[in-house]
Amino acid sequence: MSNPTVIRRQNVLNLFQQFAEEQMRAGVPPKGLEQAFAQKLQISPSMWSQIKSSRPIGDKLARQIESACAQPVAWLDEERQPQGLSSAEQQFIAMALKAWRATNAEGRKRLKLLMKEFIG
């Protein structure tokens, strides 16, 4: 049997991924999506950050998250096949986003050119 803490974390990260993809498809910019998801879950952005990294999700918080995301009770507790981006892909996107946000317009232009050059 797998670790319930790990299963819950993976499932809530999948819920965030779905939330972020829906928001971006609707034209919402990526900046602020973490805070918006925390607000949807009725938790602080700080708590969301802790959950993503290491904080265990207790039963009360798990039920709160399920309710906020319109999932049935105990949905977070069930092991699922990964959906969406892999962990490595998520790390790459996070790194690219960090680079994008850390630079100015000229730096962003250079980042775009590098990506275009790489993909041919």
Side-chain angles (χ1 to χ4, degrees):
M1 182 175 168
S2 294
N3 183 337
T5 299
V6 172
I7 292 171
R8 284 179 175 176
R9 182 170 300 110
Q10 288 172 339
N11 285 335
V12 78
L13 289 173
N14 284 338
L15 287 172
F16 172 72
Q17 184 66 35
Q18 292 170 5
F19 172 82
E21 288 172 3
E22 289 168 7
Q23 296 297 304
M24 287 188 284
R25 274 195 300 271
V28 175
K31 187 173 183 174
L33 288 179
E34 298 273 350
Q35 291 85 355
F37 189 67
Q39 185 176 16
K40 176 180 178 161
L41 301 183
Q42 299 177 344
I43 61 174
S44 70
S46 172
M47 181 180 277
W48 170 237
S49 180
Q50 292 170 29
I51 289 169
K52 289 187 309 179
S53 62
S54 63
R55 182 184 178 123
I57 301 170
D59 291 340
K60 183 178 177 184
L61 181 56
R63 304 300 80 93
Q64 179 179 327
I65 291 168
E66 290 161 350
S67 176
C69 294
Q71 297 297 331
V73 172
W75 185 91
L76 280 181
D77 302 335
E78 298 171 16
E79 198 163 3
R80 298 184 160 65
Q81 291 298 319
Q83 295 181 356
L85 301 174
S86 71
S87 177
E89 290 169 326
Q90 290 174 359
Q91 289 173 358
F92 174 78
I93 290 172
M95 184 175 56
L97 187 56
K98 187 174 182 178
W100 181 266
R101 290 178 176 170
T103 191
N104 58 19
E106 181 59 32
R108 290 177 180 156
K109 185 177 178 182
R110 288 179 36 222
L111 284 169
K112 280 183 177 179
L113 288 172
L114 283 170
M115 291 299 291
K116 286 179 182 176
E117 188 178 301
F118 186 82
I119 59 176

